[in-house]
Amino acid sequence: FVMGLSAQTHNAFTKTNDGDNVIEIHSCHSSALIHKHQNRWAYIVLPSSEKGTDPFGYITDPNVPYDIQQAVQTGKYLTKREWMEGTKDGDYPIGPILAEDILSMPQSGDLILTSKFHFDFAKDYEWFVGNYRGGHGGIHRNQTVVPFIMSGWG
């Protein structure tokens, strides 16, 4: 089911129900696992993926440093700070942590689908606000990296 959906969507996230924090991520061309262990996260590209691809694009993203690309390829566990510093300029800043955080929320379902850019799941329901392509809550940099503006005495 998930593999069929991932061929139609950008990414699909699923959480296993074995009591451990393991998350599967599937895109059209690649799959990966996220595993959390003692406040460290590993993001592991599955062998079935096309060579040189991963759902978050870390392996080929020129904005992601080589040490992060190596960590993805070897399954190295990194801290939240290491993921943040290493992926802040990529398309999915701290993607493994955000995906795990979202799926660990009590209100979250076991499956999350994201759309390709410029495709809106809710365009027929957002007539009063325009096309927000799902509104909010994504983990791509266009929804996670925002300007910080301060005003007043300082």
Side-chain angles (χ1 to χ4, degrees):
F1 176 71
V2 171
M3 293 309 291
L5 285 174
S6 65
Q8 303 297 320
T9 62
H10 184 59
N11 284 330
F13 308 95
T14 59
K15 183 175 182 178
T16 63
N17 290 323
D18 62 4
D20 206 357
N21 289 332
V22 177
I23 294 170
E24 298 176 26
I25 301 177
H26 303 280
S27 70
C28 297
H29 305 290
S30 58
S31 298
L33 297 176
I34 297 170
H35 183 249
K36 181 181 180 183
H37 180 70
Q38 297 179 351
N39 289 324
R40 291 180 174 267
W41 291 260
Y43 173 68
I44 305 145
V45 179
L46 296 177
S48 63
S49 299
E50 288 182 12
K51 185 175 172 123
T53 64
D54 70 280
F56 291 151
Y58 292 151
I59 294 174
T60 56
D61 190 335
N63 296 317
V64 173
Y66 180 75
D67 58 329
I68 296 295
Q69 293 173 346
Q70 287 300 110
V72 168
Q73 293 181 19
T74 61
K76 181 179 177 182
Y77 286 83
L78 302 174
T79 65
K80 184 182 280 191
R81 183 179 190 97
E82 290 169 323
W83 279 113
M84 184 169 36
E85 289 175 354
T87 61
K88 66 181 170 39
D89 295 322
D91 285 339
Y92 292 93
I94 61 172
I97 289 101
L98 292 177
E100 193 270 332
D101 282 350
I102 291 167
L103 283 165
S104 295
M105 290 183 209
Q107 307 89 336
S108 175
D110 292 332
L111 175 67
I112 297 173
L113 300 176
T114 64
S115 65
K116 290 183 181 180
F117 290 112
H118 309 296
F119 180 82
D120 188 354
F121 286 132
K123 69 180 178 182
D124 296 334
Y125 305 101
E126 295 176 336
W127 59 269
F128 56 93
V129 292
N131 186 341
Y132 286 151
R133 295 187 309 273
H136 65 281
I139 64 172
H140 190 271
R141 89 175 285 101
N142 69 353
Q143 294 183 4
T144 57
V145 177
V146 296
F148 183 68
I149 300 171
M150 294 180 62
S151 171
W153 296 99

